[in-house]
Amino acid sequence: MSVVDKVLGKITPMPNEQKRAEATANARAVASTGGWLWMVLDHHDAIRARFAACRDAESAEDRVAAMKELAVMLNAHSAAEEVVLYPALAQAGEKMHAGHAYSEQTTAKMQMAEWENIAPSTPEWKDKLAHIEGAVLTHMYEEESSWFLHLKDKADRHEHLTDRYREEFERYCGTGT
């Protein structure tokens, strides 16, 4: 982990597992089954599962395969958010949150690219995994506890957001999680 990574970790501490679980449960309670927020939460669950698969992978080959599956899910999910939900968030008066969300996802993509260059058999690979996972979990917490709840309350045309989010996700990832 770089010095910058360590400093950023101290400045923006990761919410604990209980707070993250509460935010997910609260968001799920207000999400419409099958709607854009419901899909986001399903994708967040899939992302968490893919991080666990990376952590649990033992061989270098298994680590690379798990990392690639995680990358596909993260890229499909982030593309859908960046094309559909963050613009809607900005249009709903949450421009600062939308800008922050874009910034965090860009940083995650850069970190993923760095991770690909680390030998999967080394402790550095696991260190980078932990750093990326912490950043992504914090980002998802921000969405689930605040940003997307504001969007749900303030946005119009939720059916349109649902259709467009699904379309963008499937464009990249296909029809599943």
Side-chain angles (χ1 to χ4, degrees):
M1 187 180 306
S2 73
V3 172
V4 172
D5 293 340
K6 290 177 184 176
V7 169
L8 287 175
K10 297 291 184 195
I11 294 170
T12 311
M14 191 169 80
N16 67 34
E17 189 172 335
Q18 180 181 346
K19 283 187 177 221
R20 290 192 314 267
E22 288 171 4
T24 302
N26 291 339
R28 186 69 77 179
V30 300
S32 302
T33 305
W36 65 266
L37 181 55
W38 192 273
M39 284 187 284
V40 165
L41 296 169
D42 284 350
H43 295 160
H44 286 181
D45 288 344
I47 289 166
R48 284 186 279 269
R50 282 169 177 77
F51 273 117
C54 289
R55 281 193 317 275
D56 294 344
E58 293 183 20
S59 73
E61 287 178 348
D62 290 345
R63 286 181 177 185
V64 169
M67 179 178 63
K68 288 181 179 181
E69 287 184 25
L70 172 63
V72 168
M73 185 67 201
L74 282 174
N75 285 329
H77 176 73
S78 68
E81 287 182 338
E82 291 168 6
V83 171
V84 179
L85 299 182
Y86 297 164
L89 193 59
Q91 292 166 6
E94 300 288 338
K95 288 182 180 170
M96 291 208 32
H97 289 151
H100 187 71
Y102 279 116
S103 176
E104 287 180 343
Q105 287 196 348
T106 299
T107 300
K109 288 176 176 81
M110 291 187 300
Q111 294 293 317
M112 290 292 291
E114 288 179 18
W115 191 29
E116 289 179 18
N117 296 319
I118 299 172
S121 58
T122 64
E124 291 80 15
W125 191 90
K126 284 272 197 172
D127 289 345
K128 184 56 94 173
L129 165 62
H131 172 74
I132 294 168
E133 183 176 18
V136 170
L137 291 177
T138 299
H139 174 83
M140 292 183 339
Y141 172 79
E142 291 169 321
E143 290 176 339
E144 293 176 1
S145 68
S146 174
W147 302 344
F148 287 166
L149 300 181
H150 293 302
L151 180 59
K152 183 163 182 359
D153 288 342
K154 294 179 178 182
D156 297 324
R157 303 177 59 211
H158 287 280
E159 189 173 310
H160 172 75
L161 291 178
T162 297
D163 292 343
R164 288 289 295 123
Y165 180 86
R166 180 181 298 110
E167 177 185 359
E168 292 301 327
F169 180 83
E170 290 177 357
R171 183 183 322 276
Y172 190 90
C173 199
T175 59
T177 58

Short mmCIF file of all heavy atoms in Angstrom, two decimals, residues 19 26 58 60 78-79 112 118 126 161 166:
data_model
loop_
_atom_site.label_atom_id
_atom_site.label_comp_id
_atom_site.label_asym_id
_atom_site.label_seq_id
_atom_site.Cartn_x
_atom_site.Cartn_y
_atom_site.Cartn_z
N LYS A 19 -22.47 -0.80 10.40
CA LYS A 19 -23.04 0.40 9.76
C LYS A 19 -23.35 0.14 8.29
O LYS A 19 -24.38 0.59 7.78
CB LYS A 19 -22.08 1.58 9.89
CG LYS A 19 -22.07 2.20 11.24
CD LYS A 19 -21.22 3.46 11.23
CE LYS A 19 -21.31 4.10 12.59
NZ LYS A 19 -21.41 5.52 12.54
N ASN A 26 -31.58 -0.59 5.26
CA ASN A 26 -32.46 0.59 5.16
C ASN A 26 -32.76 0.93 3.70
O ASN A 26 -33.90 1.27 3.36
CB ASN A 26 -31.84 1.79 5.87
CG ASN A 26 -31.80 1.62 7.37
OD1 ASN A 26 -32.54 0.83 7.95
ND2 ASN A 26 -30.89 2.35 8.02
N GLU A 58 -6.73 -19.05 -3.38
CA GLU A 58 -5.42 -19.40 -2.85
C GLU A 58 -4.33 -19.42 -3.92
O GLU A 58 -3.25 -18.88 -3.71
CB GLU A 58 -5.49 -20.72 -2.10
CG GLU A 58 -6.34 -20.61 -0.84
CD GLU A 58 -6.38 -21.88 -0.03
OE1 GLU A 58 -5.48 -22.73 -0.21
OE2 GLU A 58 -7.30 -22.02 0.78
N ALA A 60 -2.39 -18.59 -7.51
CA ALA A 60 -2.24 -17.40 -8.36
C ALA A 60 -3.27 -17.41 -9.49
O ALA A 60 -3.88 -16.37 -9.79
CB ALA A 60 -0.82 -17.32 -8.93
N SER A 78 -20.35 0.27 -12.47
CA SER A 78 -19.95 1.68 -12.47
C SER A 78 -20.37 2.38 -13.75
O SER A 78 -20.77 3.54 -13.71
CB SER A 78 -18.44 1.83 -12.24
OG SER A 78 -17.69 1.34 -13.32
N ALA A 79 -20.33 1.68 -14.88
CA ALA A 79 -20.78 2.29 -16.13
C ALA A 79 -22.25 2.68 -16.04
O ALA A 79 -22.65 3.79 -16.44
CB ALA A 79 -20.54 1.35 -17.31
N MET A 112 -7.54 -0.53 -9.71
CA MET A 112 -7.70 -1.86 -10.34
C MET A 112 -6.61 -2.08 -11.39
O MET A 112 -6.06 -3.18 -11.50
CB MET A 112 -9.10 -2.00 -10.96
CG MET A 112 -10.23 -2.09 -9.97
SD MET A 112 -10.27 -3.59 -8.97
CE MET A 112 -10.69 -4.81 -10.22
N ILE A 118 0.42 -6.37 -10.20
CA ILE A 118 1.04 -6.97 -9.01
C ILE A 118 0.94 -8.48 -9.12
O ILE A 118 -0.14 -9.02 -9.41
CB ILE A 118 0.35 -6.46 -7.73
CG1 ILE A 118 0.48 -4.93 -7.61
CG2 ILE A 118 0.93 -7.15 -6.50
CD1 ILE A 118 -0.32 -4.32 -6.48
N LYS A 126 -2.54 -9.07 -2.03
CA LYS A 126 -3.58 -9.07 -0.99
C LYS A 126 -3.73 -7.68 -0.36
O LYS A 126 -4.84 -7.25 -0.03
CB LYS A 126 -3.27 -10.10 0.09
CG LYS A 126 -3.54 -11.52 -0.32
CD LYS A 126 -4.97 -11.91 -0.03
CE LYS A 126 -5.12 -13.42 -0.05
NZ LYS A 126 -6.41 -13.85 0.41
N LEU A 161 -35.27 5.64 -15.15
CA LEU A 161 -33.97 5.34 -14.53
C LEU A 161 -33.75 3.83 -14.44
O LEU A 161 -32.64 3.35 -14.70
CB LEU A 161 -33.88 5.96 -13.13
CG LEU A 161 -33.80 7.48 -13.05
CD1 LEU A 161 -33.78 7.93 -11.59
CD2 LEU A 161 -32.60 8.02 -13.80
N ARG A 166 -30.63 -0.65 -16.19
CA ARG A 166 -30.58 -2.04 -16.65
C ARG A 166 -29.90 -2.13 -18.02
O ARG A 166 -29.03 -2.97 -18.24
CB ARG A 166 -31.98 -2.65 -16.72
CG ARG A 166 -31.98 -4.11 -17.20
CD ARG A 166 -33.38 -4.70 -17.30
NE ARG A 166 -34.05 -4.72 -16.01
CZ ARG A 166 -35.08 -3.95 -15.68
NH1 ARG A 166 -35.59 -3.09 -16.54
NH2 ARG A 166 -35.62 -4.03 -14.49
#
